[in-house]
Amino acid sequence: MPRTSIAATQASRSGTVLPSATAGDVVNGNAIQNDGRVVLLVRNTGASSRTITFQTTVSVDGLTAPVRSESVPAGETHVFGPFSPNDYGATLGFNVDNAELTVQAVRV
């Protein structure tokens, strides 16, 4: 199955309402168009630490496997990005290990 697409909301100087959070797709993964100006707000709504894994197109930051895994502790929201298209591709693919991770995407 293809990854579930998430759209980014454009930030503005006059203020932008954050998009509704979307539960990560544990089965198919998620994807977002990536122009190097996308950031993801990832909230862990659960009681246990959860993991989000970003797909890379090349080895990034000394990682030997083409992925970057990050932990989000219970009840916390982390901001990830921006993601260089040279390293992460024109479409950023990411996977969550549990639907308790919700995602909001903002283009800055």
Side-chain angles (χ1 to χ4, degrees), residues 5-35:
S5 183
I6 293 179
T9 297
Q10 180 65 50
S12 72
R13 288 183 189 87
S14 61
T16 302
V17 175
L18 282 174
S20 297
T22 302
D25 186 336
V26 177
V27 175
N28 301 308
N30 293 94
I32 188 165
Q33 292 302 306
N34 179 31
D35 60 2

Side-chain angles (χ1 to χ4, degrees), residues 23-97:
D25 186 336
V26 177
V27 175
N28 301 308
N30 293 94
I32 188 165
Q33 292 302 306
N34 179 31
D35 60 2
R37 298 180 58 196
V38 172
V39 295
L40 300 179
L41 290 82
V42 180
R43 178 174 173 78
N44 182 348
T45 62
S48 300
S49 183
R50 300 294 181 198
T51 302
I52 184 167
T53 304
F54 302 99
Q55 305 298 304
T56 63
T57 58
V58 297
S59 180
V60 176
D61 297 333
L63 303 171
T64 55
V67 297
R68 169 180 218 95
S69 293
E70 299 293 342
S71 180
V72 181
E76 290 189 10
T77 301
H78 286 203
V79 179
F80 297 100
F83 302 91
S84 168
N86 293 332
D87 298 330
Y88 292 89
T91 300
L92 172 65
F94 59 94
N95 302 310
V96 298
D97 69 347

